[in-house]
mmCIF file of all heavy atoms in Angstrom:
data_model
loop_
_atom_site.group_PDB
_atom_site.id
_atom_site.type_symbol
_atom_site.label_atom_id
_atom_site.label_comp_id
_atom_site.label_asym_id
_atom_site.label_seq_id
_atom_site.Cartn_x
_atom_site.Cartn_y
_atom_site.Cartn_z
ATOM 1 N N MET A 1 23.345 -9.803 4.198
ATOM 2 C CA MET A 1 22.277 -9.083 4.898
ATOM 3 C C MET A 1 21.028 -9.948 4.972
ATOM 4 O O MET A 1 20.776 -10.788 4.127
ATOM 5 C CB MET A 1 21.951 -7.778 4.156
ATOM 6 C CG MET A 1 23.100 -6.790 4.149
ATOM 7 S SD MET A 1 23.556 -6.200 5.781
ATOM 8 C CE MET A 1 22.117 -5.158 6.132
ATOM 9 N N CYS A 2 20.258 -9.750 5.996
ATOM 10 C CA CYS A 2 19.026 -10.501 6.117
ATOM 11 C C CYS A 2 17.928 -9.814 5.316
ATOM 12 O O CYS A 2 18.049 -8.669 4.910
ATOM 13 C CB CYS A 2 18.611 -10.617 7.583
ATOM 14 S SG CYS A 2 18.334 -9.054 8.380
ATOM 15 N N HIS A 3 16.865 -10.564 5.161
ATOM 16 C CA HIS A 3 15.747 -9.981 4.439
ATOM 17 C C HIS A 3 15.057 -8.938 5.308
ATOM 18 O O HIS A 3 14.748 -9.194 6.462
ATOM 19 C CB HIS A 3 14.753 -11.059 4.036
ATOM 20 C CG HIS A 3 15.323 -12.012 3.026
ATOM 21 N ND1 HIS A 3 15.502 -11.672 1.700
ATOM 22 C CD2 HIS A 3 15.789 -13.268 3.151
ATOM 23 C CE1 HIS A 3 16.032 -12.699 1.063
ATOM 24 N NE2 HIS A 3 16.224 -13.689 1.913
ATOM 25 N N GLN A 4 14.830 -7.821 4.754
ATOM 26 C CA GLN A 4 14.198 -6.756 5.523
ATOM 27 C C GLN A 4 13.221 -6.002 4.627
ATOM 28 O O GLN A 4 13.567 -5.591 3.532
ATOM 29 C CB GLN A 4 15.260 -5.807 6.058
ATOM 30 C CG GLN A 4 14.688 -4.746 6.988
ATOM 31 C CD GLN A 4 15.801 -3.911 7.625
ATOM 32 O OE1 GLN A 4 16.962 -4.086 7.307
ATOM 33 N NE2 GLN A 4 15.436 -3.017 8.495
ATOM 34 N N HIS A 5 12.030 -5.882 5.132
ATOM 35 C CA HIS A 5 11.038 -5.161 4.349
ATOM 36 C C HIS A 5 11.186 -3.667 4.587
ATOM 37 O O HIS A 5 11.192 -3.231 5.731
ATOM 38 C CB HIS A 5 9.618 -5.586 4.747
ATOM 39 C CG HIS A 5 9.320 -7.006 4.368
ATOM 40 N ND1 HIS A 5 9.097 -7.382 3.057
ATOM 41 C CD2 HIS A 5 9.217 -8.122 5.110
ATOM 42 C CE1 HIS A 5 8.869 -8.690 3.037
ATOM 43 N NE2 HIS A 5 8.941 -9.164 4.257
ATOM 44 N N PRO A 6 11.330 -2.938 3.545
ATOM 45 C CA PRO A 6 11.403 -1.488 3.707
ATOM 46 C C PRO A 6 10.088 -0.938 4.240
ATOM 47 O O PRO A 6 9.022 -1.416 3.887
ATOM 48 C CB PRO A 6 11.694 -0.975 2.296
ATOM 49 C CG PRO A 6 11.196 -2.049 1.394
ATOM 50 C CD PRO A 6 11.389 -3.345 2.155
ATOM 51 N N ILE A 7 10.182 0.056 5.078
ATOM 52 C CA ILE A 7 8.969 0.624 5.658
ATOM 53 C C ILE A 7 8.233 1.447 4.613
ATOM 54 O O ILE A 7 7.019 1.386 4.494
ATOM 55 C CB ILE A 7 9.324 1.498 6.881
ATOM 56 C CG1 ILE A 7 9.979 0.621 7.960
ATOM 57 C CG2 ILE A 7 8.075 2.189 7.423
ATOM 58 C CD1 ILE A 7 10.460 1.407 9.161
ATOM 59 N N ASP A 8 8.980 2.186 3.906
ATOM 60 C CA ASP A 8 8.346 3.036 2.893
ATOM 61 C C ASP A 8 8.591 2.456 1.517
ATOM 62 O O ASP A 8 9.710 2.145 1.148
ATOM 63 C CB ASP A 8 8.916 4.454 2.952
ATOM 64 C CG ASP A 8 8.549 5.135 4.254
ATOM 65 O OD1 ASP A 8 7.350 5.267 4.514
ATOM 66 O OD2 ASP A 8 9.463 5.531 4.986
ATOM 67 N N GLU A 9 7.527 2.305 0.804
ATOM 68 C CA GLU A 9 7.651 1.819 -0.554
ATOM 69 C C GLU A 9 6.824 2.686 -1.473
ATOM 70 O O GLU A 9 5.899 3.357 -1.048
ATOM 71 C CB GLU A 9 7.152 0.376 -0.662
ATOM 72 C CG GLU A 9 8.007 -0.586 0.143
ATOM 73 C CD GLU A 9 7.565 -2.012 -0.099
ATOM 74 O OE1 GLU A 9 7.057 -2.295 -1.195
ATOM 75 O OE2 GLU A 9 7.711 -2.826 0.812
ATOM 76 N N THR A 10 7.184 2.647 -2.668
ATOM 77 C CA THR A 10 6.396 3.380 -3.648
ATOM 78 C C THR A 10 5.667 2.373 -4.506
ATOM 79 O O THR A 10 6.265 1.480 -5.079
ATOM 80 C CB THR A 10 7.287 4.261 -4.531
ATOM 81 O OG1 THR A 10 7.953 5.195 -3.703
ATOM 82 C CG2 THR A 10 6.441 5.005 -5.559
ATOM 83 N N ILE A 11 4.379 2.515 -4.531
ATOM 84 C CA ILE A 11 3.596 1.602 -5.329
ATOM 85 C C ILE A 11 3.063 2.333 -6.542
ATOM 86 O O ILE A 11 3.039 3.551 -6.597
ATOM 87 C CB ILE A 11 2.415 1.003 -4.533
ATOM 88 C CG1 ILE A 11 1.487 2.124 -4.053
ATOM 89 C CG2 ILE A 11 2.932 0.189 -3.371
ATOM 90 C CD1 ILE A 11 0.232 1.600 -3.393
ATOM 91 N N VAL A 12 2.639 1.580 -7.491
ATOM 92 C CA VAL A 12 2.089 2.179 -8.691
ATOM 93 C C VAL A 12 0.656 1.717 -8.849
ATOM 94 O O VAL A 12 0.382 0.529 -8.940
ATOM 95 C CB VAL A 12 2.904 1.788 -9.934
ATOM 96 C CG1 VAL A 12 2.243 2.362 -11.180
ATOM 97 C CG2 VAL A 12 4.333 2.292 -9.805
ATOM 98 N N LEU A 13 -0.234 2.660 -8.800
ATOM 99 C CA LEU A 13 -1.628 2.328 -8.980
ATOM 100 C C LEU A 13 -2.028 2.637 -10.414
ATOM 101 O O LEU A 13 -1.742 3.700 -10.931
ATOM 102 C CB LEU A 13 -2.507 3.142 -8.029
ATOM 103 C CG LEU A 13 -2.246 2.913 -6.527
ATOM 104 C CD1 LEU A 13 -3.160 3.815 -5.726
ATOM 105 C CD2 LEU A 13 -2.504 1.466 -6.168
ATOM 106 N N SER A 14 -2.647 1.682 -11.016
ATOM 107 C CA SER A 14 -3.117 1.906 -12.373
ATOM 108 C C SER A 14 -4.566 2.365 -12.316
ATOM 109 O O SER A 14 -5.444 1.657 -11.861
ATOM 110 C CB SER A 14 -3.004 0.626 -13.194
ATOM 111 O OG SER A 14 -1.649 0.261 -13.319
ATOM 112 N N MET A 15 -4.782 3.567 -12.753
ATOM 113 C CA MET A 15 -6.130 4.108 -12.722
ATOM 114 C C MET A 15 -6.636 4.277 -14.146
ATOM 115 O O MET A 15 -6.007 4.908 -14.975
ATOM 116 C CB MET A 15 -6.152 5.456 -11.998
ATOM 117 C CG MET A 15 -5.751 5.319 -10.531
ATOM 118 S SD MET A 15 -6.034 6.835 -9.619
ATOM 119 C CE MET A 15 -4.914 7.946 -10.453
ATOM 120 N N ASN A 16 -7.779 3.705 -14.355
ATOM 121 C CA ASN A 16 -8.381 3.808 -15.681
ATOM 122 C C ASN A 16 -9.385 4.948 -15.673
ATOM 123 O O ASN A 16 -10.417 4.881 -15.031
ATOM 124 C CB ASN A 16 -9.082 2.494 -16.030
ATOM 125 C CG ASN A 16 -9.475 2.463 -17.490
ATOM 126 O OD1 ASN A 16 -9.658 3.500 -18.116
ATOM 127 N ND2 ASN A 16 -9.609 1.269 -18.036
ATOM 128 N N ASP A 17 -9.039 6.015 -16.353
ATOM 129 C CA ASP A 17 -9.914 7.190 -16.330
ATOM 130 C C ASP A 17 -10.846 7.218 -17.526
ATOM 131 O O ASP A 17 -11.532 8.183 -17.765
ATOM 132 C CB ASP A 17 -9.092 8.474 -16.256
ATOM 133 C CG ASP A 17 -8.172 8.620 -17.456
ATOM 134 O OD1 ASP A 17 -8.225 7.768 -18.362
ATOM 135 O OD2 ASP A 17 -7.405 9.594 -17.491
ATOM 136 N N GLY A 18 -10.859 6.151 -18.269
ATOM 137 C CA GLY A 18 -11.788 6.077 -19.383
ATOM 138 C C GLY A 18 -11.137 6.428 -20.703
ATOM 139 O O GLY A 18 -11.587 5.999 -21.747
ATOM 140 N N ALA A 19 -10.092 7.224 -20.645
ATOM 141 C CA ALA A 19 -9.420 7.615 -21.870
ATOM 142 C C ALA A 19 -8.118 6.835 -22.033
ATOM 143 O O ALA A 19 -7.268 7.203 -22.805
ATOM 144 C CB ALA A 19 -9.138 9.122 -21.859
ATOM 145 N N GLY A 20 -8.019 5.793 -21.279
ATOM 146 C CA GLY A 20 -6.785 5.037 -21.314
ATOM 147 C C GLY A 20 -6.316 4.812 -19.906
ATOM 148 O O GLY A 20 -6.895 5.301 -18.947
ATOM 149 N N ILE A 21 -5.283 4.052 -19.768
ATOM 150 C CA ILE A 21 -4.779 3.750 -18.441
ATOM 151 C C ILE A 21 -3.706 4.756 -18.055
ATOM 152 O O ILE A 21 -2.726 4.927 -18.760
ATOM 153 C CB ILE A 21 -4.215 2.322 -18.385
ATOM 154 C CG1 ILE A 21 -5.336 1.320 -18.686
ATOM 155 C CG2 ILE A 21 -3.595 2.048 -17.007
ATOM 156 C CD1 ILE A 21 -4.861 -0.114 -18.742
ATOM 157 N N THR A 22 -3.974 5.441 -16.968
ATOM 158 C CA THR A 22 -3.003 6.400 -16.465
ATOM 159 C C THR A 22 -2.295 5.802 -15.262
ATOM 160 O O THR A 22 -2.933 5.389 -14.299
ATOM 161 C CB THR A 22 -3.697 7.712 -16.052
ATOM 162 O OG1 THR A 22 -4.404 8.222 -17.175
ATOM 163 C CG2 THR A 22 -2.679 8.725 -15.568
ATOM 164 N N THR A 23 -1.008 5.744 -15.339
ATOM 165 C CA THR A 23 -0.250 5.169 -14.235
ATOM 166 C C THR A 23 0.349 6.285 -13.393
ATOM 167 O O THR A 23 1.075 7.121 -13.898
ATOM 168 C CB THR A 23 0.883 4.267 -14.762
ATOM 169 O OG1 THR A 23 0.304 3.256 -15.580
ATOM 170 C CG2 THR A 23 1.617 3.615 -13.612
ATOM 171 N N VAL A 24 -0.034 6.289 -12.140
ATOM 172 C CA VAL A 24 0.440 7.332 -11.237
ATOM 173 C C VAL A 24 1.175 6.699 -10.069
ATOM 174 O O VAL A 24 0.620 5.829 -9.395
ATOM 175 C CB VAL A 24 -0.746 8.157 -10.690
ATOM 176 C CG1 VAL A 24 -0.248 9.248 -9.751
ATOM 177 C CG2 VAL A 24 -1.545 8.738 -11.840
ATOM 178 N N PRO A 25 2.395 7.105 -9.862
ATOM 179 C CA PRO A 25 3.115 6.593 -8.697
ATOM 180 C C PRO A 25 2.533 7.163 -7.414
ATOM 181 O O PRO A 25 2.345 8.365 -7.294
ATOM 182 C CB PRO A 25 4.554 7.069 -8.916
ATOM 183 C CG PRO A 25 4.432 8.260 -9.803
ATOM 184 C CD PRO A 25 3.212 8.027 -10.658
ATOM 185 N N VAL A 26 2.206 6.295 -6.486
ATOM 186 C CA VAL A 26 1.602 6.724 -5.231
ATOM 187 C C VAL A 26 2.383 6.136 -4.066
ATOM 188 O O VAL A 26 2.599 4.937 -4.015
ATOM 189 C CB VAL A 26 0.130 6.248 -5.136
ATOM 190 C CG1 VAL A 26 -0.465 6.636 -3.787
ATOM 191 C CG2 VAL A 26 -0.675 6.834 -6.273
ATOM 192 N N PRO A 27 2.821 6.994 -3.162
ATOM 193 C CA PRO A 27 3.479 6.458 -1.978
ATOM 194 C C PRO A 27 2.463 5.789 -1.086
ATOM 195 O O PRO A 27 1.424 6.354 -0.779
ATOM 196 C CB PRO A 27 4.071 7.699 -1.301
ATOM 197 C CG PRO A 27 3.208 8.832 -1.764
ATOM 198 C CD PRO A 27 2.732 8.447 -3.150
ATOM 199 N N GLY A 28 2.714 4.583 -0.710
ATOM 200 C CA GLY A 28 1.730 3.869 0.088
ATOM 201 C C GLY A 28 2.382 2.938 1.072
ATOM 202 O O GLY A 28 3.566 2.658 1.005
ATOM 203 N N ARG A 29 1.559 2.482 1.985
ATOM 204 C CA ARG A 29 2.047 1.517 2.961
ATOM 205 C C ARG A 29 1.066 0.368 3.039
ATOM 206 O O ARG A 29 -0.134 0.547 2.831
ATOM 207 C CB ARG A 29 2.189 2.171 4.327
ATOM 208 C CG ARG A 29 3.189 3.302 4.304
ATOM 209 C CD ARG A 29 3.501 3.789 5.663
ATOM 210 N NE ARG A 29 4.434 4.913 5.582
ATOM 211 C CZ ARG A 29 4.983 5.475 6.648
ATOM 212 N NH1 ARG A 29 4.698 5.051 7.831
ATOM 213 N NH2 ARG A 29 5.824 6.480 6.505
ATOM 214 N N ARG A 30 1.611 -0.756 3.385
ATOM 215 C CA ARG A 30 0.745 -1.917 3.518
ATOM 216 C C ARG A 30 0.080 -1.903 4.882
ATOM 217 O O ARG A 30 0.720 -1.641 5.890
ATOM 218 C CB ARG A 30 1.547 -3.200 3.340
ATOM 219 C CG ARG A 30 1.868 -3.475 1.890
ATOM 220 C CD ARG A 30 2.872 -4.566 1.770
ATOM 221 N NE ARG A 30 4.153 -4.142 2.356
ATOM 222 C CZ ARG A 30 5.305 -4.752 2.147
ATOM 223 N NH1 ARG A 30 5.357 -5.785 1.370
ATOM 224 N NH2 ARG A 30 6.402 -4.326 2.703
ATOM 225 N N CYS A 31 -1.211 -2.200 4.912
ATOM 226 C CA CYS A 31 -1.947 -2.261 6.164
ATOM 227 C C CYS A 31 -1.388 -3.410 6.996
ATOM 228 O O CYS A 31 -1.394 -4.556 6.543
ATOM 229 C CB CYS A 31 -3.427 -2.474 5.888
ATOM 230 S SG CYS A 31 -4.371 -2.818 7.380
ATOM 231 N N PRO A 32 -0.888 -3.118 8.196
ATOM 232 C CA PRO A 32 -0.285 -4.178 9.018
ATOM 233 C C PRO A 32 -1.297 -5.220 9.469
ATOM 234 O O PRO A 32 -0.956 -6.395 9.619
ATOM 235 C CB PRO A 32 0.298 -3.411 10.222
ATOM 236 C CG PRO A 32 -0.483 -2.138 10.281
ATOM 237 C CD PRO A 32 -0.854 -1.817 8.860
ATOM 238 N N ALA A 33 -2.529 -4.788 9.704
ATOM 239 C CA ALA A 33 -3.553 -5.730 10.160
ATOM 240 C C ALA A 33 -3.900 -6.717 9.050
ATOM 241 O O ALA A 33 -4.037 -7.918 9.283
ATOM 242 C CB ALA A 33 -4.792 -4.968 10.611
ATOM 243 N N CYS A 34 -4.070 -6.204 7.859
ATOM 244 C CA CYS A 34 -4.380 -7.083 6.733
ATOM 245 C C CYS A 34 -3.176 -7.944 6.383
ATOM 246 O O CYS A 34 -3.322 -9.090 5.966
ATOM 247 C CB CYS A 34 -4.794 -6.251 5.517
ATOM 248 S SG CYS A 34 -6.420 -5.472 5.709
ATOM 249 N N LEU A 35 -1.999 -7.378 6.576
ATOM 250 C CA LEU A 35 -0.791 -8.125 6.263
ATOM 251 C C LEU A 35 -0.694 -9.359 7.147
ATOM 252 O O LEU A 35 -0.238 -10.411 6.718
ATOM 253 C CB LEU A 35 0.431 -7.218 6.477
ATOM 254 C CG LEU A 35 1.693 -7.602 5.691
ATOM 255 C CD1 LEU A 35 1.420 -7.604 4.193
ATOM 256 C CD2 LEU A 35 2.823 -6.643 6.022
ATOM 257 N N GLU A 36 -1.163 -9.224 8.392
ATOM 258 C CA GLU A 36 -1.128 -10.370 9.299
ATOM 259 C C GLU A 36 -2.060 -11.473 8.833
ATOM 260 O O GLU A 36 -1.848 -12.647 9.114
ATOM 261 C CB GLU A 36 -1.523 -9.928 10.710
ATOM 262 C CG GLU A 36 -0.448 -9.107 11.401
ATOM 263 C CD GLU A 36 -0.818 -8.784 12.841
ATOM 264 O OE1 GLU A 36 -1.934 -9.172 13.244
ATOM 265 O OE2 GLU A 36 -0.017 -8.153 13.537
ATOM 266 N N ARG A 37 -3.100 -11.070 8.140
ATOM 267 C CA ARG A 37 -4.031 -12.077 7.642
ATOM 268 C C ARG A 37 -3.591 -12.629 6.294
ATOM 269 O O ARG A 37 -4.237 -13.494 5.719
ATOM 270 C CB ARG A 37 -5.443 -11.492 7.494
ATOM 271 C CG ARG A 37 -6.041 -11.004 8.787
ATOM 272 C CD ARG A 37 -7.559 -10.874 8.637
ATOM 273 N NE ARG A 37 -7.917 -10.065 7.476
ATOM 274 C CZ ARG A 37 -8.173 -8.762 7.538
ATOM 275 N NH1 ARG A 37 -8.129 -8.140 8.686
ATOM 276 N NH2 ARG A 37 -8.485 -8.098 6.464
ATOM 277 N N GLY A 38 -2.530 -12.069 5.803
ATOM 278 C CA GLY A 38 -2.013 -12.562 4.544
ATOM 279 C C GLY A 38 -2.464 -11.753 3.352
ATOM 280 O O GLY A 38 -2.214 -12.127 2.214
ATOM 281 N N ASP A 39 -3.148 -10.646 3.656
ATOM 282 C CA ASP A 39 -3.596 -9.791 2.569
ATOM 283 C C ASP A 39 -2.696 -8.573 2.461
ATOM 284 O O ASP A 39 -2.307 -7.988 3.465
ATOM 285 C CB ASP A 39 -5.034 -9.318 2.824
ATOM 286 C CG ASP A 39 -6.011 -10.474 2.807
ATOM 287 O OD1 ASP A 39 -5.755 -11.427 2.052
ATOM 288 O OD2 ASP A 39 -7.007 -10.407 3.530
ATOM 289 N N THR A 40 -2.375 -8.240 1.253
ATOM 290 C CA THR A 40 -1.591 -7.034 1.037
ATOM 291 C C THR A 40 -2.526 -5.931 0.582
ATOM 292 O O THR A 40 -3.055 -5.964 -0.521
ATOM 293 C CB THR A 40 -0.496 -7.273 -0.013
ATOM 294 O OG1 THR A 40 0.368 -8.310 0.444
ATOM 295 C CG2 THR A 40 0.315 -6.009 -0.236
ATOM 296 N N VAL A 41 -2.761 -4.999 1.478
ATOM 297 C CA VAL A 41 -3.645 -3.885 1.158
ATOM 298 C C VAL A 41 -2.849 -2.598 1.247
ATOM 299 O O VAL A 41 -2.270 -2.286 2.290
ATOM 300 C CB VAL A 41 -4.840 -3.826 2.136
ATOM 301 C CG1 VAL A 41 -5.757 -2.655 1.782
ATOM 302 C CG2 VAL A 41 -5.618 -5.128 2.100
ATOM 303 N N TRP A 42 -2.821 -1.871 0.156
ATOM 304 C CA TRP A 42 -2.062 -0.624 0.142
ATOM 305 C C TRP A 42 -2.932 0.516 0.644
ATOM 306 O O TRP A 42 -4.075 0.674 0.238
ATOM 307 C CB TRP A 42 -1.570 -0.337 -1.268
ATOM 308 C CG TRP A 42 -0.512 -1.299 -1.690
ATOM 309 C CD1 TRP A 42 -0.682 -2.403 -2.474
ATOM 310 C CD2 TRP A 42 0.879 -1.272 -1.339
ATOM 311 N NE1 TRP A 42 0.522 -3.052 -2.622
ATOM 312 C CE2 TRP A 42 1.491 -2.374 -1.945
ATOM 313 C CE3 TRP A 42 1.661 -0.399 -0.567
ATOM 314 C CZ2 TRP A 42 2.851 -2.639 -1.805
ATOM 315 C CZ3 TRP A 42 3.011 -0.671 -0.431
ATOM 316 C CH2 TRP A 42 3.598 -1.769 -1.048
ATOM 317 N N VAL A 43 -2.353 1.287 1.552
ATOM 318 C CA VAL A 43 -3.078 2.407 2.120
ATOM 319 C C VAL A 43 -2.217 3.655 1.993
ATOM 320 O O VAL A 43 -1.022 3.620 2.276
ATOM 321 C CB VAL A 43 -3.408 2.156 3.602
ATOM 322 C CG1 VAL A 43 -4.245 3.297 4.169
ATOM 323 C CG2 VAL A 43 -4.125 0.821 3.768
ATOM 324 N N ILE A 44 -2.843 4.705 1.579
ATOM 325 C CA ILE A 44 -2.124 5.967 1.527
ATOM 326 C C ILE A 44 -1.903 6.447 2.968
ATOM 327 O O ILE A 44 -2.843 6.464 3.760
ATOM 328 C CB ILE A 44 -2.933 7.021 0.738
ATOM 329 C CG1 ILE A 44 -3.116 6.554 -0.705
ATOM 330 C CG2 ILE A 44 -2.244 8.378 0.789
ATOM 331 C CD1 ILE A 44 -4.040 7.439 -1.514
ATOM 332 N N PRO A 45 -0.668 6.791 3.323
ATOM 333 C CA PRO A 45 -0.387 7.240 4.688
ATOM 334 C C PRO A 45 -1.308 8.373 5.108
ATOM 335 O O PRO A 45 -1.500 9.338 4.383
ATOM 336 C CB PRO A 45 1.078 7.711 4.607
ATOM 337 C CG PRO A 45 1.665 6.918 3.487
ATOM 338 C CD PRO A 45 0.535 6.729 2.494
ATOM 339 N N GLY A 46 -1.897 8.228 6.289
ATOM 340 C CA GLY A 46 -2.839 9.227 6.781
ATOM 341 C C GLY A 46 -4.277 8.811 6.555
ATOM 342 O O GLY A 46 -5.190 9.381 7.138
ATOM 343 N N LYS A 47 -4.450 7.792 5.714
ATOM 344 C CA LYS A 47 -5.794 7.280 5.447
ATOM 345 C C LYS A 47 -6.030 6.005 6.242
ATOM 346 O O LYS A 47 -5.121 5.451 6.835
ATOM 347 C CB LYS A 47 -5.956 6.978 3.950
ATOM 348 C CG LYS A 47 -5.739 8.183 3.064
ATOM 349 C CD LYS A 47 -6.925 9.116 3.139
ATOM 350 C CE LYS A 47 -6.797 10.221 2.083
ATOM 351 N NZ LYS A 47 -7.960 11.117 2.093
ATOM 352 N N CYS A 48 -7.260 5.567 6.226
ATOM 353 C CA CYS A 48 -7.577 4.308 6.883
ATOM 354 C C CYS A 48 -7.643 3.202 5.840
ATOM 355 O O CYS A 48 -8.027 3.433 4.693
ATOM 356 C CB CYS A 48 -8.912 4.419 7.620
ATOM 357 S SG CYS A 48 -8.863 5.547 9.021
ATOM 358 N N CYS A 49 -7.321 2.009 6.285
ATOM 359 C CA CYS A 49 -7.395 0.854 5.400
ATOM 360 C C CYS A 49 -8.826 0.678 4.911
ATOM 361 O O CYS A 49 -9.745 0.660 5.715
ATOM 362 C CB CYS A 49 -6.929 -0.388 6.148
ATOM 363 S SG CYS A 49 -7.177 -1.896 5.208
ATOM 364 N N PRO A 50 -9.028 0.571 3.624
ATOM 365 C CA PRO A 50 -10.380 0.425 3.078
ATOM 366 C C PRO A 50 -10.992 -0.933 3.404
ATOM 367 O O PRO A 50 -12.196 -1.134 3.264
ATOM 368 C CB PRO A 50 -10.186 0.591 1.564
ATOM 369 C CG PRO A 50 -8.775 0.183 1.328
ATOM 370 C CD PRO A 50 -8.000 0.586 2.576
ATOM 371 N N VAL A 51 -10.178 -1.858 3.838
ATOM 372 C CA VAL A 51 -10.673 -3.209 4.111
ATOM 373 C C VAL A 51 -11.071 -3.358 5.579
ATOM 374 O O VAL A 51 -12.162 -3.792 5.899
ATOM 375 C CB VAL A 51 -9.621 -4.266 3.725
ATOM 376 C CG1 VAL A 51 -10.108 -5.657 4.086
ATOM 377 C CG2 VAL A 51 -9.307 -4.155 2.230
ATOM 378 N N CYS A 52 -10.156 -2.980 6.476
ATOM 379 C CA CYS A 52 -10.422 -3.216 7.894
ATOM 380 C C CYS A 52 -10.550 -1.933 8.692
ATOM 381 O O CYS A 52 -10.927 -1.967 9.848
ATOM 382 C CB CYS A 52 -9.321 -4.096 8.490
ATOM 383 S SG CYS A 52 -7.719 -3.277 8.581
ATOM 384 N N GLY A 53 -10.231 -0.801 8.082
ATOM 385 C CA GLY A 53 -10.432 0.472 8.759
ATOM 386 C C GLY A 53 -9.295 0.880 9.674
ATOM 387 O O GLY A 53 -9.407 1.858 10.398
ATOM 388 N N THR A 54 -8.220 0.122 9.636
ATOM 389 C CA THR A 54 -7.087 0.478 10.474
ATOM 390 C C THR A 54 -6.399 1.728 9.927
ATOM 391 O O THR A 54 -6.054 1.770 8.753
ATOM 392 C CB THR A 54 -6.065 -0.679 10.506
ATOM 393 O OG1 THR A 54 -6.687 -1.832 11.054
ATOM 394 C CG2 THR A 54 -4.838 -0.300 11.331
ATOM 395 N N PRO A 55 -6.250 2.738 10.769
ATOM 396 C CA PRO A 55 -5.559 3.936 10.303
ATOM 397 C C PRO A 55 -4.088 3.662 10.056
ATOM 398 O O PRO A 55 -3.428 3.004 10.867
ATOM 399 C CB PRO A 55 -5.756 4.940 11.448
ATOM 400 C CG PRO A 55 -6.049 4.108 12.645
ATOM 401 C CD PRO A 55 -6.713 2.850 12.155
ATOM 402 N N VAL A 56 -3.607 4.111 8.940
ATOM 403 C CA VAL A 56 -2.210 3.911 8.587
ATOM 404 C C VAL A 56 -1.555 5.276 8.465
ATOM 405 O O VAL A 56 -2.033 6.130 7.719
ATOM 406 C CB VAL A 56 -2.083 3.141 7.264
ATOM 407 C CG1 VAL A 56 -0.622 2.994 6.877
ATOM 408 C CG2 VAL A 56 -2.734 1.761 7.389
ATOM 409 N N SER A 57 -0.501 5.474 9.220
ATOM 410 C CA SER A 57 0.173 6.767 9.181
ATOM 411 C C SER A 57 1.633 6.615 8.818
ATOM 412 O O SER A 57 2.103 5.491 8.695
ATOM 413 C CB SER A 57 0.064 7.445 10.547
ATOM 414 O OG SER A 57 0.648 6.633 11.532
HETATM 415 ZN ZN1 LIG B 1 -6.437 -3.465 6.681
#
């Protein structure tokens, strides 16, 4: 099989809430615009990319 990037991935964001590190699995997608520039920016589907503002759905 050839290399194929899955469209949907599950990422894990580590959030430090002050009482320790809480790891919460978050479904996210990589911003395609940032990906073209070589940056991997995770965006929650339905939100806009925090870097370039591209809506990701
Ligand atoms: Zn972006």
Side-chain angles (χ1 to χ4, degrees):
M1 295 296 289
C2 60
H3 293 286
Q4 186 174 4
H5 293 287
I7 298 176
D8 294 301
E9 295 186 29
T10 299
I11 60 174
V12 176
L13 299 178
S14 296
M15 296 189 297
N16 191 335
D17 61 4
I21 298 176
T22 303
T23 303
V24 180
V26 177
R29 298 190 182 186
R30 283 169 295 196
C31 171
C34 289
L35 204 59
E36 287 185 357
R37 298 198 307 265
D39 295 328
T40 300
V41 180
W42 290 99
V43 184
I44 298 173
K47 301 285 189 178
C48 293
C49 173
V51 177
C52 68
T54 299
V56 177
S57 59

